Amino acid sequence: MKAENSESYANGTPDSSPKPKHKKMRIDPNEIARKAKVVLSALPAQFDAQTKRNPYAAVGIAFAVGAGAGIVLSSRVLRMVLASGLTYIATEVGKTYLRQALGDFEKTSSPRASA
């Protein structure tokens, strides 16, 4: 019994046509960020027109956001993860603010220390 070639059709006839070689596409994160920025910057200006043009899409998006928020808030574990994440963010923002405030304070009080 012959071994089937991996390049054969399902009915057993060999595929004689050359296979196209696919080039791997490289994804440029900067290009994606630029496109996202353009789309998101135009979103507030076009929000009313988009919701009037696509009311079902707007309702679907609102439903998805509401369902996602409901799922997150109804689960104890997800609430804990959300609270931990928000606490971490608040702590880091507070630390950054205090570092800037203390840096400004040290700059204003430095002449007294050098005297």
Side-chain angles (χ1 to χ4, degrees):
M1 191 165 164
K2 284 186 178 179
E4 291 290 327
N5 190 357
S6 63
E7 298 176 359
S8 64
Y9 287 115
N11 63 4
T13 60
D15 184 11
S16 62
S17 63
K19 301 237 181 220
K21 294 187 178 184
H22 298 289
K23 293 182 181 179
K24 290 186 178 180
M25 292 181 54
R26 295 197 65 190
I27 299 173
D28 184 20
N30 293 328
E31 182 68 21
I32 292 172
R34 187 187 62 76
K35 287 180 180 179
K37 183 179 178 182
V38 168
V39 169
L40 292 176
S41 66
L43 186 62
Q46 298 176 354
F47 185 72
D48 289 334
Q50 288 288 340
T51 53
K52 289 177 183 176
R53 197 173 344 160
N54 302 320
Y56 293 118
V59 169
I61 292 170
F63 173 76
V65 169
I71 289 169
V72 167
L73 296 177
S74 67
S75 170
R76 289 182 190 168
V77 174
L78 292 177
R79 269 191 310 218
M80 181 186 66
V81 169
L82 181 65
S84 298
L86 292 176
T87 303
Y88 176 76
I89 290 170
T91 304
E92 291 300 315
V93 168
K95 284 180 185 177
T96 303
Y97 176 75
L98 285 175
R99 285 185 190 125
Q100 288 177 349
L102 290 176
D104 292 342
F105 178 73
E106 288 175 358
K107 287 178 185 176
T108 58
S109 63
S110 62
R112 184 174 46 162
S114 64

